[in-house]
Amino acid sequence: MEGKTTTLLLLLFTLLLTTSLSKDLCHKDDKNTLLKIKKAMNDPYTIISWDPKDDCCTWYAVECGNASINHRVTSLDISNDDVSAQIPPEVGDLPYLEYLIFHKLPNLTGEIPPTITKLKYLRYLWLSWNNLSGPVPELLSQLKNLEYINLSFNKLSGSIPGSLSLLPKLEFLELSRNKLTGSIPESFGSFKGVVYALYLSHNQLSGSIPKSLGNLDINQIDLSRNKLEGDASMLFGAKKTTQHIDLSRNMFQFNISKVKVAKTVNFLDLNHNSLTGSIPVQWTQLDLQTFNVSYKRLCGRIPQGGDLQRFDAYAYLHNKCLCDAPLQSCK
Ligand SMILES: *[C@@H]1O[C@H](CO)[C@@H](O)[C@H](O)[C@H]1NC(C)=O
Ligand SMILES: *[C@@H]1O[C@H](CO)[C@@H](O)[C@H](O)[C@H]1NC(C)=O
Ligand SMILES: *[C@@H]1O[C@H](CO)[C@@H](O)[C@H](O)[C@H]1NC(C)=O
Ligand SMILES: *[C@@H]1O[C@H](CO)[C@@H](O)[C@H](O)[C@H]1NC(C)=O
Ligand SMILES: *[C@@H]1O[C@H](CO)[C@@H](O)[C@H](O)[C@H]1NC(C)=O
Ligand SMILES: *[C@@H]1O[C@H](CO)[C@@H](O)[C@H](O)[C@H]1NC(C)=O
């Protein structure tokens, strides 16, 4: 009798154990899609361990949501691999994806597939340091949950879609180190979201920056190493809360004599432009960590005080007739 009970209990226990073990949280559509992605990317080393027998929510580079969304896949992060492939259009078939990351895949080529516009919950798009080409997709503006776009270090070309300004939750837009041309969209003066950082450096952007950008109060703005010209003084303003302004290596041309800089600015790099005038005394009130006004056409006395003498002559080199410390005293 006792033996029988034990056997029964054992049986029950085994049954329980196996059912709980084989309980796959992963949604079968997501598993199928992920396996297609793996195949389309030629079985990259980082995800070679994906085993169809396992719960895909336990796979490397994959994360699933909780029961409220049936444990659908919410994150795919494939980084640091020598995969030779394109972004598989199938990524658009992970309908609950919030984070899509392809990072440091130097042989990831081709265009950003239009299918990603199906990812209506996407919040975070990080496709940096690959060799992607083609345009920044205009259709990204349909992904109303996007908070973070980072497409830096690729070979993207064409102009910046002005419609990106329509994204209501956008906080970070980083498109630096590509081959983007054309001008900065007028619409960037009125982002729907509260954009914290705008990085467009190391491209081939040209023309004047739109006056509307004066409306922006952005924490970090980097337009360095483009071919931008004309007036950029609207980016400054005593009432803004900007911290980081890099306009270096462009062809901006304006007189800085009366440009007031917000007291919050601690990074100010204006080197290699055609700026004229003299350094305003107001700039002695700044708390500067980085400062560079070299290679311009500035003239006159460097105001003495504040942080302006904390920087050596290299920050002031190659101007028309700047003088006083840290340069030679004025005649
Ligand atoms: C499930 O996830 C959602 C979205 O991340 C979250 O808002 C919710 O609080 C979570 N629910 C539980 C029960 O953890
Ligand atoms: C990328 O592809 C090129 C040419 O096919 C190859 O020579 C190179 O080793 C690859 N690089 C990496 C990091 O896989
Ligand atoms: C893109 O590919 C080229 C050569 O194919 C390589 O030299 C370069 O490092 C790659 N770019 C990135 C960002 O990995
Ligand atoms: C974007 O990605 C690059 C490359 O990984 C990184 O250096 C940079 O900090 C990122 N930008 C933002 C705004 O997170
Ligand atoms: C720059 O503006 C100041 C003040 O308005 C003016 O005195 C100066 O002549 C201007 N410099 C140049 C080069 O235009
Ligand atoms: C300022 O920029 C110039 C030109 O790029 C560079 O040579 C110099 O070292 C920089 N100075 C400082 C203090 O960063």
Side-chain angles (χ1 to χ4, degrees), residues 65-69 98:
N66 62 27
S68 71
I69 55 163
E98 293 177 27

Side-chain angles (χ1 to χ4, degrees), residues 279 281 283-286 288 291 301-313 315-316 323-327:
I279 298 175
V281 174
W283 292 17
T284 60
Q285 296 170 14
L286 306 176
L288 293 163
F291 179 69
R301 181 183 290 274
I302 298 172
Q304 302 294 299
D307 281 342
L308 292 182
Q309 278 67 46
R310 265 188 50 212
F311 301 92
D312 61 16
Y316 298 92
C323 57
D324 216 339
L327 302 178

Side-chain angles (χ1 to χ4, degrees), residues 225 248-249 269 271-272 290-295 311-317:
R225 296 192 190 239
S248 63
R249 296 188 187 249
D269 196 343
N271 86 70
H272 285 89
T290 301
F291 179 69
N292 200 332
V293 292
S294 63
Y295 293 88
F311 301 92
D312 61 16
Y314 289 101
Y316 298 92
L317 281 183

Side-chain angles (χ1 to χ4, degrees), residues 179-195:
K179 298 183 167 183
L180 300 172
T181 52
S183 50
I184 297 176
E186 174 84 40
S187 61
F188 278 20
S190 49
F191 281 107
K192 274 198 153 178
V194 181
V195 173

